[in-house]
Amino acid sequence: MLNKDVAFSLAIGNLSSKSLAVINDYTPPGLYKDTTSEFNVEIQEITDNITWTIPSCKVIKLHLTKVKFVTNSDIYPNITDGVILTSDHRLLMSNDMKIACSEHCLVEITNTKFVLFWKWDFRGTIDANDSVASFSTTDPSDYNPSESLFSTASESDYNVSTDDNVGEIVHTLPFKVMGSCYNIGIQSVFEEAHKMMYNGETIKARIRPDPNNPYDAEAIAVEFDVGYGFVGVGFLSKELTKYVHPPLQASHIKDVIVDSVRFRTTWSMIGFYAKISITRIGSVWEPEVVRKSLTVR
């Protein structure tokens, strides 16, 4: 069996298919180096948003944000330009910009070499005052060309801020809507929501206790209004309801926003899935909620 380097060299025409002798020294544009060696990075500046088409697969485009970085590692000598997934931009803005990158590669975009930080974690530990801690970026399978994402969430969704009008802490985190993939009626609502968001329309959303739920008396229902009144579309994760009930009962839930509706083809159940953002006032979300939110896709 050929090892990865030999197979790659054969595929791009650098080796003879008969003798395996070196016949070329071609470096394909776009991808130069792939490594899973972890190294620490400090992001010093966030600049432009760009869209990059993967050279080896013209139908897949990544939405990226350019950054300037420094590192003590010698994995990428003399390179200070990097790119991250644009969806990770807001997470960096709410941290000290120091990350440990575990999956990365060197790419060429418009004749400039960039380090693509694909999977990374924030350095440091989480406590009750943290808005974000350890985070791994979206799995590459999320960028399936048959999937769509339409988001209405603002770039401050992951931030802890202060409401100038009331002088209180305001903290927003994403939550996955659970229990939706098995119900045809919910899938129809999500499909309508998907169309509305594509057209720039806003989807109304709310959460409420569901004490009559036959499976869980502590359940918190999620409801969408796509034009004909609020209807149930699922529930918050069971393990998080004990943290959401207190601010909900105290009227400290300020906003519930439909963050995204995606059609997933790479998950075990093909269908529409939704993510919402919930904003509370008065205090930050508990660390357990923060940890869970950082896995929401």
Side-chain angles (χ1 to χ4, degrees):
M1 180 178 293
L2 299 177
N3 66 39
K4 183 174 69 174
D5 292 336
V6 173
F8 180 74
S9 295
L10 276 171
I12 63 175
N14 283 344
L15 296 181
S16 167
S17 60
K18 294 182 179 180
S19 64
L20 296 184
V22 176
I23 58 175
N24 200 356
D25 188 25
Y26 172 65
T27 300
L31 186 58
Y32 283 86
K33 186 176 184 179
D34 184 12
T35 178
T36 56
S37 301
E38 183 170 296
F39 69 109
N40 291 330
V41 176
E42 181 173 350
I43 305 297
Q44 294 190 315
E45 183 182 358
I46 297 176
T47 58
D48 303 326
N49 292 332
I50 60 173
T51 299
W52 180 56
T53 301
I54 297 178
S56 59
C57 189
K58 299 294 186 180
V59 297
I60 298 181
K61 296 182 179 181
L62 298 183
H63 299 289
L64 304 173
T65 298
K66 294 181 181 179
V67 300
K68 293 287 186 180
F69 73 93
V70 294
T71 178
N72 292 327
S73 172
D74 60 358
I75 296 178
Y76 302 104
N78 304 319
I79 296 180
T80 59
D81 292 305
V83 285
I84 60 172
L85 298 176
T86 299
S87 57
D88 298 344
H89 174 189
R90 52 190 175 186
L91 291 170
L92 276 178
M93 294 296 290
S94 56
N95 195 266
D96 62 2
M97 314 264 262
K98 295 179 180 180
I99 62 175
C101 188
S102 58
E103 294 187 11
H104 41 88
C105 64
L106 192 62
V107 300
E108 185 177 286
I109 303 173
T110 59
N111 299 318
T112 301
K113 294 180 181 179
F114 294 86
V115 177
L116 170 58
F117 302 113
W118 185 260
K119 186 174 182 180
W120 48 267
D121 298 320
F122 285 119
R123 287 149 59 184
T125 57
I126 188 169
D127 59 49
N129 296 317
D130 288 336
S131 61
V132 289
S134 178
F135 175 80
S136 296
T137 60
T138 307
D139 188 272
S141 63
D142 285 351
Y143 293 90
N144 188 300
S146 62
E147 295 176 354
S148 300
L149 166 63
F150 304 99
S151 177
T152 59
S154 68
E155 289 199 349
S156 62
D157 283 353
Y158 292 85
N159 293 341
V160 179
S161 59
T162 301
D163 189 323
D164 294 334
N165 294 324
V166 298
E168 291 185 308
I169 292 174
V170 179
H171 192 191
T172 303
L173 287 178
F175 292 75
K176 182 179 178 181
V177 179
M178 310 295 292
S180 60
C181 58
Y182 300 98
N183 188 297
I184 295 177
I186 293 176
Q187 286 294 300
S188 297
V189 174
F190 281 175
E191 183 175 8
E192 184 64 29
H194 185 278
K195 294 176 182 178
M196 291 175 66
M197 297 179 79
Y198 178 79
N199 292 324
E201 301 178 58
T202 300
I203 311 299
K204 295 180 181 179
R206 69 184 183 188
I207 58 174
R208 63 171 181 81
D210 187 16
N212 297 321
N213 187 297
Y215 303 102
D216 180 13
E218 297 298 315
I220 294 180
V222 179
E223 299 179 343
F224 285 8
D225 182 355
V226 293
Y228 44 85
F230 282 100
V231 294
V233 294
F235 301 87
L236 298 184
S237 175
K238 183 177 181 179
E239 62 188 289
L240 298 181
T241 55
K242 63 181 178 181
Y243 303 109
V244 180
H245 273 295
L248 189 58
Q249 294 172 356
S251 299
H252 287 170
I253 299 298
K254 182 180 181 181
D255 288 308
V256 179
I257 296 174
V258 181
D259 189 358
S260 65
V261 176
R262 301 185 184 204
F263 188 79
R264 298 282 192 177
T265 61
T266 57
W267 288 9
S268 58
M269 291 292 294
I270 296 176
F272 287 100
Y273 291 81
K275 178 177 68 173
I276 62 174
S277 291
I278 302 177
T279 301
R280 67 178 295 177
I281 59 175
S283 61
V284 298
W285 287 107
E286 290 76 3
E288 292 80 3
V289 183
V290 175
R291 289 192 186 96
K292 186 70 174 179
S293 74
L294 297 177
T295 66
V296 174
R297 298 188 300 183

